[in-house]
Amino acid sequence: MARKALCWRVRCLRERCEMGIVLIRVDDRLVHGQIVEAWAPFCKATRVIVASDTVKNNLIQKTAIESCSSKALAIKVESIEETLRDLILEDMNKERIIIIFSTLKELLQAYNKGFVFSNVNIGNIHHRDANQGGREITPSVYIDKEDEGILQYLLKQGVRLDIRSVPSDKPVDMLKAGVEN
Protein backbone atom coordinates (compact mmCIF):
# COMPACT_ATOMS: atom_id res chain seq x y z
CA MET A 1 0.00 0.00 0.00
CA ALA A 2 1.56 3.29 -1.01
CA ARG A 3 2.10 5.77 1.80
CA LYS A 4 0.84 8.63 -0.37
CA ALA A 5 -2.55 6.98 -0.93
CA LEU A 6 -3.22 6.85 2.80
CA CYS A 7 -2.44 10.42 3.82
CA TRP A 8 -5.11 12.22 5.85
CA ARG A 9 -5.16 15.46 7.73
CA VAL A 10 -6.53 14.94 11.19
CA ARG A 11 -7.55 18.30 12.58
CA CYS A 12 -10.11 17.52 15.26
CA LEU A 13 -7.98 18.90 18.08
CA ARG A 14 -7.50 22.38 16.63
CA GLU A 15 -10.73 22.98 14.77
CA ARG A 16 -14.00 21.25 14.05
CA CYS A 17 -13.53 18.23 11.86
CA GLU A 18 -14.32 17.47 8.27
CA MET A 19 -15.58 14.06 7.18
CA GLY A 20 -13.26 11.08 7.38
CA ILE A 21 -10.89 10.51 10.26
CA VAL A 22 -11.53 13.02 13.02
CA LEU A 23 -9.28 11.57 15.75
CA ILE A 24 -6.50 9.04 16.04
CA ARG A 25 -5.93 7.92 19.62
CA VAL A 26 -3.74 5.48 21.51
CA ASP A 27 -5.63 4.15 24.51
CA ASP A 28 -5.07 0.78 26.13
CA ARG A 29 -8.53 1.04 27.71
CA LEU A 30 -9.99 1.13 24.16
CA VAL A 31 -13.69 2.12 24.25
CA HIS A 32 -14.81 3.63 27.56
CA GLY A 33 -16.47 6.74 29.00
CA GLN A 34 -13.80 9.21 27.86
CA ILE A 35 -14.33 8.06 24.28
CA VAL A 36 -18.11 7.76 24.24
CA GLU A 37 -18.97 10.72 26.48
CA ALA A 38 -16.18 13.20 25.67
CA TRP A 39 -14.25 12.59 22.45
CA ALA A 40 -17.11 11.30 20.28
CA PRO A 41 -19.35 14.34 20.95
CA PHE A 42 -16.40 16.76 20.71
CA CYS A 43 -15.42 15.38 17.29
CA LYS A 44 -19.03 14.72 16.28
CA ALA A 45 -17.96 11.15 15.51
CA THR A 46 -20.33 8.69 13.87
CA ARG A 47 -18.01 5.68 14.03
CA VAL A 48 -15.24 4.30 16.24
CA ILE A 49 -12.81 1.75 14.86
CA VAL A 50 -10.61 -0.16 17.28
CA ALA A 51 -7.60 -1.09 15.13
CA SER A 52 -5.90 -3.97 16.91
CA ASP A 53 -4.84 -7.42 15.79
CA THR A 54 -4.83 -8.57 19.42
CA VAL A 55 -8.37 -7.40 20.16
CA LYS A 56 -9.66 -8.65 16.79
CA ASN A 57 -8.49 -12.15 17.75
CA ASN A 58 -10.04 -12.06 21.24
CA LEU A 59 -13.71 -12.94 20.66
CA ILE A 60 -14.87 -11.95 24.15
CA GLN A 61 -13.15 -8.55 24.08
CA LYS A 62 -14.25 -7.90 20.48
CA THR A 63 -17.88 -8.78 21.27
CA ALA A 64 -17.92 -6.65 24.43
CA ILE A 65 -16.55 -3.61 22.58
CA GLU A 66 -18.84 -3.95 19.56
CA SER A 67 -21.87 -4.37 21.82
CA CYS A 68 -21.41 -0.72 22.83
CA SER A 69 -22.57 0.42 19.36
CA SER A 70 -25.65 2.59 19.13
CA LYS A 71 -27.66 4.25 16.38
CA ALA A 72 -25.62 7.41 16.87
CA LEU A 73 -22.18 5.78 17.18
CA ALA A 74 -21.14 2.60 15.37
CA ILE A 75 -18.25 0.75 17.01
CA LYS A 76 -16.22 -1.89 15.21
CA VAL A 77 -13.08 -3.90 15.97
CA GLU A 78 -10.80 -4.58 13.02
CA SER A 79 -7.30 -5.83 12.45
CA ILE A 80 -4.81 -3.16 11.45
CA GLU A 81 -4.80 -4.50 7.87
CA GLU A 82 -8.63 -4.40 7.70
CA THR A 83 -8.66 -0.85 9.04
CA LEU A 84 -6.18 0.37 6.43
CA ARG A 85 -8.09 -1.38 3.66
CA ASP A 86 -11.47 0.00 4.80
CA LEU A 87 -10.21 3.56 5.13
CA ILE A 88 -9.57 3.88 1.42
CA LEU A 89 -13.19 3.06 0.59
CA GLU A 90 -15.32 5.96 -0.61
CA ASP A 91 -18.04 5.32 2.00
CA MET A 92 -15.63 6.09 4.83
CA ASN A 93 -15.48 9.72 3.69
CA LYS A 94 -19.17 9.97 4.62
CA GLU A 95 -18.37 9.08 8.24
CA ARG A 96 -16.64 10.94 11.07
CA ILE A 97 -14.27 8.30 12.39
CA ILE A 98 -12.27 7.92 15.59
CA ILE A 99 -9.54 5.31 15.27
CA ILE A 100 -8.22 3.80 18.50
CA PHE A 101 -5.01 1.80 18.73
CA SER A 102 -4.36 -0.11 21.94
CA THR A 103 -0.60 0.49 21.90
CA LEU A 104 1.96 2.79 20.35
CA LYS A 105 3.50 -0.31 18.79
CA GLU A 106 0.25 -0.98 16.86
CA LEU A 107 0.06 2.68 15.82
CA LEU A 108 3.62 2.45 14.50
CA GLN A 109 2.75 -0.78 12.70
CA ALA A 110 -0.06 1.04 10.86
CA TYR A 111 2.23 4.00 10.14
CA ASN A 112 4.84 1.70 8.64
CA LYS A 113 2.16 0.17 6.40
CA GLY A 114 1.33 3.57 4.92
CA PHE A 115 -1.11 5.14 7.39
CA VAL A 116 0.15 8.73 7.57
CA PHE A 117 -1.25 11.26 10.01
CA SER A 118 -0.27 14.66 11.34
CA ASN A 119 -1.75 14.40 14.85
CA VAL A 120 -2.25 11.64 17.38
CA ASN A 121 -3.92 11.81 20.77
CA ILE A 122 -2.32 9.78 23.56
CA GLY A 123 -4.97 9.00 26.16
CA ASN A 124 -4.10 6.02 28.33
CA ILE A 125 -0.94 3.92 28.36
CA HIS A 126 -0.09 1.96 31.48
CA HIS A 127 3.51 0.74 31.62
CA ARG A 128 4.01 1.52 35.30
CA ASP A 129 6.81 -0.89 36.14
CA ALA A 130 9.78 1.31 36.96
CA ASN A 131 12.02 -1.79 36.86
CA GLN A 132 11.15 -2.11 33.17
CA GLY A 133 11.90 1.56 32.47
CA GLY A 134 8.33 2.78 32.84
CA ARG A 135 7.80 6.39 33.81
CA GLU A 136 4.89 8.76 34.30
CA ILE A 137 4.10 11.42 31.71
CA THR A 138 0.61 12.14 33.10
CA PRO A 139 -1.47 10.26 35.69
CA SER A 140 -2.96 8.21 32.83
CA VAL A 141 0.12 7.84 30.61
CA TYR A 142 3.08 5.73 31.71
CA ILE A 143 5.56 4.89 28.98
CA ASP A 144 8.38 2.40 28.77
CA LYS A 145 11.58 2.73 26.73
CA GLU A 146 10.00 1.19 23.61
CA ASP A 147 7.09 3.66 23.81
CA GLU A 148 9.51 6.55 24.26
CA GLY A 149 11.41 5.47 21.16
CA ILE A 150 8.18 5.36 19.15
CA LEU A 151 7.15 8.81 20.39
CA GLN A 152 10.57 10.21 19.47
CA TYR A 153 10.30 8.64 16.01
CA LEU A 154 6.82 10.14 15.46
CA LEU A 155 8.04 13.56 16.58
CA LYS A 156 10.91 13.33 14.07
CA GLN A 157 8.36 12.53 11.36
CA GLY A 158 6.54 15.77 12.20
CA VAL A 159 3.59 14.15 13.97
CA ARG A 160 1.99 16.37 16.62
CA LEU A 161 1.54 14.45 19.88
CA ASP A 162 -1.45 15.49 21.95
CA ILE A 163 -1.38 13.91 25.40
CA ARG A 164 -4.63 14.31 27.29
CA SER A 165 -7.49 12.18 28.49
CA VAL A 166 -10.41 14.35 27.38
CA PRO A 167 -10.81 17.39 25.11
CA SER A 168 -11.21 19.79 28.04
CA ASP A 169 -7.79 18.84 29.51
CA LYS A 170 -4.75 20.97 28.70
CA PRO A 171 -2.38 19.00 26.41
CA VAL A 172 0.99 18.00 27.87
CA ASP A 173 4.05 19.40 26.12
CA MET A 174 6.19 16.42 25.07
CA LEU A 175 9.44 18.34 25.41
CA LYS A 176 8.60 19.32 29.00
CA ALA A 177 7.69 15.69 29.64
CA GLY A 178 11.21 14.68 28.63
CA VAL A 179 10.44 13.10 25.26
CA GLU A 180 12.54 14.92 22.69
CA ASN A 181 12.89 14.46 18.98
Side-chain angles (χ1 to χ4, degrees):
M1 211 175 290
R3 183 174 295 273
K4 193 172 185 180
L6 291 174
C7 186
W8 298 273
R9 289 197 163 278
V10 180
R11 303 181 317 171
C12 184
L13 301 173
R14 290 201 174 221
E15 56 190 80
R16 286 298 173 190
C17 313
E18 299 170 359
M19 293 299 197
I21 299 171
V22 295
L23 178 69
I24 299 168
R25 180 174 169 99
V26 177
D27 190 328
D28 61 16
R29 293 173 58 204
L30 303 170
V31 178
H32 54 91
Q34 292 173 354
I35 304 298
V36 176
E37 295 296 325
W39 286 108
F42 178 77
C43 293
K44 298 181 181 175
T46 58
R47 175 177 299 275
V48 173
I49 298 173
V50 173
S52 172
D53 296 338
T54 305
V55 178
K56 171 72 176 183
N57 293 321
N58 182 325
L59 184 59
I60 293 171
Q61 195 174 18
K62 178 181 182 293
T63 302
I65 290 169
E66 289 181 343
S67 71
C68 297
S69 284
S70 67
K71 288 182 181 180
L73 186 65
I75 301 174
K76 188 172 182 183
V77 175
E78 297 183 336
S79 69
I80 293 169
E81 240 0 275
E82 289 171 326
T83 300
L84 297 179
R85 187 177 57 242
D86 287 352
L87 288 174
I88 60 175
L89 299 174
E90 280 296 313
D91 289 346
M92 288 300 191
N93 288 328
K94 298 175 185 170
E95 299 272 359
R96 299 173 66 82
I97 304 165
I98 294 174
I99 300 177
I100 301 172
F101 294 90
S102 64
T103 65
L104 284 166
K105 191 174 181 178
E106 287 186 323
L107 175 72
L108 183 61
Q109 180 183 347
Y111 186 84
N112 287 335
K113 290 183 178 195
F115 181 56
V116 179
F117 44 88
S118 57
N119 297 299
V120 65
N121 170 252
I122 311 294
N124 293 286
I125 300 175
H126 297 94
H127 294 150
R128 293 186 179 179
D129 189 351
N131 295 329
Q132 301 294 322
R135 67 182 182 88
E136 180 179 354
I137 301 295
T138 71
S140 65
V141 176
Y142 287 77
I143 62 171
D144 61 17
K145 294 206 180 293
E146 181 180 27
D147 291 335
E148 188 161 357
I150 293 169
L151 292 174
Q152 289 172 352
Y153 175 78
L154 291 172
L155 284 169
K156 285 178 184 171
Q157 301 309 307
V159 174
R160 182 174 167 264
L161 303 176
D162 176 80
I163 300 178
R164 58 180 158 164
S165 296
V166 293
S168 59
D169 287 350
K170 183 179 178 190
V172 172
D173 183 327
M174 288 304 298
L175 297 178
K176 289 180 184 173
V179 178
E180 300 177 21
N181 60 353

